[in-house]
Amino acid sequence: MVDAGSYDSALATARAERDDWITVETTRTGTAEIATGTAGTAPIHLTTRAGTLYGSWDLLSVHEQAADTGLDLLEITRRVSLRTRYTPATFWRGIHLLTERATAHLARDGALTLRLPEPAEHTRARTLRADADPVPAFIRLLGHLVARHPWDGPSTGVQLSGGLDSTNIALALAAALPGHHVTAGAVVLDGERGRQQTERRAVILRHIGASWRDVLVPAMDHLPYGPTSWYSRPGRVSPYGDLYLDAIDRLSDLLSSRGVKTLFTGIGGDELMSFTTAEKPRGVTGPDLGVPPWLGPTARGLLAEVDRGITPAAVVPETALMAKAGVAAPLLRRGIWPVHPLTDPALIRFSEWMPAEWRRDKRLLRETIDRAGLPPHIARPPIPENFGHVMTLAMRRHGPARIHRLGG
């Protein structure tokens, strides 16, 4: 028998030592509380039906249980107007996301309420001495964050696109436990971009010198909205999934078939090196989205309310939390646990302290790669590598037919 005091102490200790947790506490009177930490690795969606609470990281399975599946027009407006926000709302009124540090309460009458946390505290950049060098400290901290996760090599993978973020993670993995044979996976581009990406990845893997296994999925073989795409099949697809779900899904399949159970990603690197509003040059703001011409009158009328009901400031940048949620389902469905070291609160605080000149153009991440002994073009590829042209081609090939079907 564990007394209540010991239980509370153990629970408090577990929560203090890990940022990735979910707790469910029930009472004999039929109430329940579900709480979560800061990480959001496996985003929990909640709904109720006939007094029963249902929850899962799989949004579509929760949708099957929801009593109210009426559309949340404000949340849909956020998406279609390109004004995405981190919020407990989903496309359906009766389904809620348990956002970071939030608590859900199920009352005896079956009513579900959410309690959001106080805004997370963030700090400002500090001034370094002229001779100070933050790179060794960053390498040590990232190495510690990578090594603290239980992984044994053969069952471990890393999403290694060859970009700055994923390359830093791969270097940290190789240094943390040398000799372990990790599986590196990537969705690769086509044409000149793809040749450059493939060559750069080969250089990185040779540098690591650990005989890592490599798994590649050509993006052009899995275009969104093609005849075999998840977006073209009967049934539902989560509106919060990755746009390149087809290629990501195939990569997840291949990683799973090779026994990968833990997958490290580079998600969070952009946010880690970003500028605060106060640090941006005077007069520089975000893009002026205007009113998208494709919006109907209902969405236009809701544009002024897109910030209503959003969460307070999170520990982890909100865009990183949404990115983590977008990649979770294909991995979790195959028993692969994603790990995102660049979203760790300790590293976020370290980067907040970093002077702007070290974050500008991701200087810190580039210098880390340079000092590892890799050639200059690894940290500074001549040709930008992104998926914009993949989506453009997908829409040119498959968009008209899809639009015709939707308008059918």
Side-chain angles (χ1 to χ4, degrees), residues 233-404:
R233 302 177 195 179
R236 298 179 183 273
V237 178
S238 171
Y240 297 96
D242 195 293
L243 281 175
Y244 304 97
L245 171 63
D246 301 291
I248 297 296
D249 208 56
R250 177 57 180 158
L251 180 60
S252 301
D253 265 340
L254 294 175
L255 292 172
S256 177
S257 69
R258 285 158 174 76
V260 171
K261 297 296 182 184
T262 303
L263 184 69
F264 285 79
T265 84
I267 286 176
D270 291 344
E271 291 81 2
L272 208 60
M273 298 287 106
S274 65
F275 279 13
T276 65
T277 302
E279 291 173 328
K280 294 177 181 178
R282 183 171 296 180
V284 175
T285 59
D288 182 10
L289 298 176
V291 179
W294 55 82
L295 296 186
T298 300
R300 287 171 179 261
L302 289 170
L303 278 180
E305 300 184 51
V306 294
D307 289 325
R308 174 165 57 85
I310 64 175
T311 62
V315 174
V316 177
E318 289 85 353
T319 51
L321 288 168
M322 290 187 285
K324 292 163 74 170
V327 303
L331 297 171
L332 297 174
R333 198 170 288 122
R334 294 167 175 82
I336 301 175
W337 182 256
V339 180
H340 314 286
L342 297 183
T343 66
D344 189 279
L347 200 57
I348 291 169
R349 179 57 56 92
F350 178 87
S351 296
E352 287 176 343
W353 288 338
M354 192 73 54
E357 60 263 28
W358 280 96
R359 284 177 277 122
R360 183 177 291 111
D361 194 32
K362 293 190 172 182
R363 175 188 172 189
L364 180 68
L365 300 183
R366 295 183 196 276
E367 291 215 14
T368 302
I369 295 171
D370 289 342
R371 296 190 197 185
L374 286 158
H377 74 286
I378 301 301
R380 298 164 187 82
I383 305 170
E385 296 171 5
N386 58 62
F387 284 82
H389 74 290
V390 175
M391 181 57 74
T392 298
L393 182 60
M395 294 308 298
R396 285 177 177 171
R397 283 188 184 177
H398 308 301
R402 181 174 180 82
I403 293 171
H404 179 75

Side-chain angles (χ1 to χ4, degrees), residues 189-197 220 389:
L189 304 169
D190 69 317
E192 195 175 14
R193 296 180 186 86
R195 288 190 292 273
Q196 174 183 272
Q197 180 190 14
M220 301 302 291
H389 74 290

